[in-house]
Each structure stands twice: as C-alpha cells, then as structure tokens.
C-alpha cells in the first residue's frame, strides 16, 4: 500500500493516459492546479468553458498553457458541465474536476441519465490523510456530501471509503465508525446507529463501532481499553456520524497540522475532484493525483 502522498504522486505520474476534464476551469486556482499537474507529469487535461475567460486569466497570470492542456469553448456553464461529464463517461478523460460553476449545476450533469456518471450507489466525499505520526494513509468520510446519513447510507459511505483505500493498495479495509465512546448510549444517537451497522457488518471489510479516535488509530490506546479485533489500533477508513464532524475533522488536519491531505467524491463511475479556492496548492495537487490513481488512467 502507498504510505505517503509522495508515493501517490509518483504513481499518478506513471499512470498511462490520465486526463482531467474540468468545466468552467477558467479561474486562476483551477488553471494553476492543472498547470502544476501537467508540469509534474501527473495528468493532461481539457478545460471546457469560455476560451476568452481562460485567455484573460492566463494574461493576468503571465502564463501560457502547456501543450497537453486543451480548450473546448463553451460559454454556458450547464453545457460545459455536460460536455466535461460526457468526456469522462465516454472514456476520453479519466477524472472529472469541478471548476468555477455552481455545485448544483455540476452535480446535475454528473447524475444526468444519458451521459452522467451514475453507478447505482450514493456519492460521498473521501479525504485521504497522511499524518507523520501515523504509519499509514487513512480515509476520512463523509465531510462533504451527506448531511446526516442513516444506516443504509452509512453502509454505502463505508463502501466508498473502502474502495478508495483499496485503490491505494490496502489489502483490506478496516472501518472505524467514530464516536466519542465505545459504549452504546441512547443519549448519543450516533452510538446506537453505529452499533447497528457494526452488528450488521459489511461484506468484504472489517467494521468496528462505535469507537473513539484513540482506540481506532493507536494500538497502545486500544490495548489499554481492552479492545481486540482487526480494526482497533489499525483502522484505515474513519466514518464520521455526520457532515459536520467529517468536515471539521478533515479540515482540522488541513489547517492545524502538517498533515498532507487530498480528497475526492467517490461512488460515481469515475473519480470526481471538487477543489475549494481556499485549498492549499499541495492539497490541489494531492487531490488530482489521488483522482488519477483511483481512476487508473486509460483516457483516450
């Protein structure tokens, strides 16, 4: 399994024919991310949007696009979103990346019945984190899509997180359903819900919950607490109770530690990168590399 983002970026660099499609990618943040990816050899790309705005942004940046970044003129954001999604669903690109357009417009194109990236499951955000203190990459989910998932949704969210961690080389997904304590309590509804999911089990992965972060991540803490099994102290997929917990947890790593982070939307037919303009440049590159590796290349 990859143990760092340096290894993920190197894996993306040698992935054949990786190609990113981005609707309305005319803003400076998107262009810098694409140019950085091209210069590092991570992926080629195609910007679908108003060529005039791309050229204006490039002029302000005193920058020219590398040869492996193509432009498709599309002044309407809905049409641009549909064309970018079509490029990915047709195999002409391998990763979809959100540019400067409304999230609702972007998601509508993703879920279009004719050219969309539907897969039958739910979409969820997966943040992959590497903390120097830890000896492994960990997936945190879901801090970006599902507000307060129920039992069935949590199972799908765990499956999406597991698919990402397996794509990064994990031999098995070890899923921790995170709460403040390991005891089921009616006063803490998430512990009741997680207890049901853990008892139900999820085929193809190890699941433990409710479980606190220390018991999930630290072998010594798990031993002190008397916790046994494949997940305590060794978890590689951390499922949070709701979007607030997931978002705060992942962004805490991003802005309060020296952890490396990358993220994508899982559950679609291809990896989807949704970058924020506030993301650090390293996070943007990590996210693109993550999408390339999870997608596996093969764009034409």
């Amino acid at each position: 399994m990859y143990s760092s983002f340096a290894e993920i970026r190197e894996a993306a660099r040698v992935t054949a024919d990786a190609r990113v499609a981005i609707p309305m990618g005319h803003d400076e943040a998107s262009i810098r991310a694409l140019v950085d990816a091209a210069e590092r050899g991570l992926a080629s790309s195609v910007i679908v949007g108003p060529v005039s705005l791309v050229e204006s942004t490039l002029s302000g940046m005193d920058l020219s696009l590398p040869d492996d970044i193509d432009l498709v003129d599309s002044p309407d954001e809905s049409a641009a979103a549909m064309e970018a999604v079509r490029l990915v669903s047709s195999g002409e690109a391998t990763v979809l990346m959100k540019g400067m357009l409304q999230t609702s417009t972007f998601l509508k194109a993703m879920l279009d019945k004719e050219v969309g990236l539907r897969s039958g499951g739910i979409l969820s955000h997966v943040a992959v984190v590497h903390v120097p203190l830890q000896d492994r990459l960990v997936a945190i989910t879901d801090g970006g899509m599902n507000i307060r998932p129920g039992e069935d949704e949590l199972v799908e969210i765990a499956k999406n997180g597991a698919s990402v961690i397996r794509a990064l080389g994990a031999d098995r997904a070890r899923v921790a359903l995170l709460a403040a304590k390991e005891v089921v309590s009616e006063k803490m509804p998430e512990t009741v819900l997680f207890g049901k999911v853990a008892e139900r089990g999820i085929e193809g992965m190890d699941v433990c919950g409710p479980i606190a972060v220390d018991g999930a991540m630290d072998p010594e803490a798990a031993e002190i607490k008397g916790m046994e099994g494949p997940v305590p102290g060794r978890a590689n997929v951390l499922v949070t109770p709701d979007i607030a917990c997931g978002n705060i947890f992942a962004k805490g790593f991003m802005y309060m530690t020296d952890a490396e982070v990358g993220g994508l939307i899982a559950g679609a037919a291809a990896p989807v990168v949704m970058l924020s303009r506030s993301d650090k440049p390293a996070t943007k590159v990590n996210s693109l590399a993550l999408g390339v590796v999870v997608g596996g290349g093969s764009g034409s």
Side-chain angles (χ1 to χ4, degrees), residues 12 56 62 90 140 171 178 185 194 242 251-252 294:
S56 176
D62 193 23
S90 68
I140 300 173
D171 57 349
L178 295 183
S185 170
F194 283 166
D242 54 40
K251 286 185 176 178
V294 172

Side-chain angles (χ1 to χ4, degrees), residues 238-258:
L238 307 179
V239 178
T240 61
D242 54 40
I243 194 171
C245 290
N247 194 282
I248 293 167
F249 193 25
K251 286 185 176 178
F253 282 112
M254 292 173 64
Y255 295 103
M256 299 176 70
T257 75
D258 59 353

Side-chain angles (χ1 to χ4, degrees), residues 158-265:
K159 288 180 179 179
N160 287 347
S163 71
V164 171
I165 210 70
R166 288 196 195 101
L168 299 179
D171 57 349
R172 189 165 179 84
R174 297 182 292 277
V175 179
L177 306 175
L178 295 183
K181 56 192 295 186
E182 285 82 19
V183 179
V184 173
S185 170
E186 295 293 337
K187 294 182 179 181
M188 305 176 75
E190 68 277 6
T191 65
V192 177
L193 181 59
F194 283 166
K196 291 179 180 178
V197 174
E199 183 178 0
R200 168 179 174 177
I202 306 175
E203 185 178 359
M205 63 190 80
D206 300 312
V207 183
C208 181
I211 182 172
V213 174
D214 55 348
M217 295 302 298
D218 184 56
E220 184 177 354
E223 183 178 358
I224 291 171
K225 290 185 173 186
M227 304 176 69
E228 298 179 348
V231 176
R234 302 178 62 219
N236 54 18
V237 178
L238 307 179
V239 178
T240 61
D242 54 40
I243 194 171
C245 290
N247 194 282
I248 293 167
F249 193 25
K251 286 185 176 178
F253 282 112
M254 292 173 64
Y255 295 103
M256 299 176 70
T257 75
D258 59 353
E260 283 199 282
V261 182
L264 51 75
I265 303 297

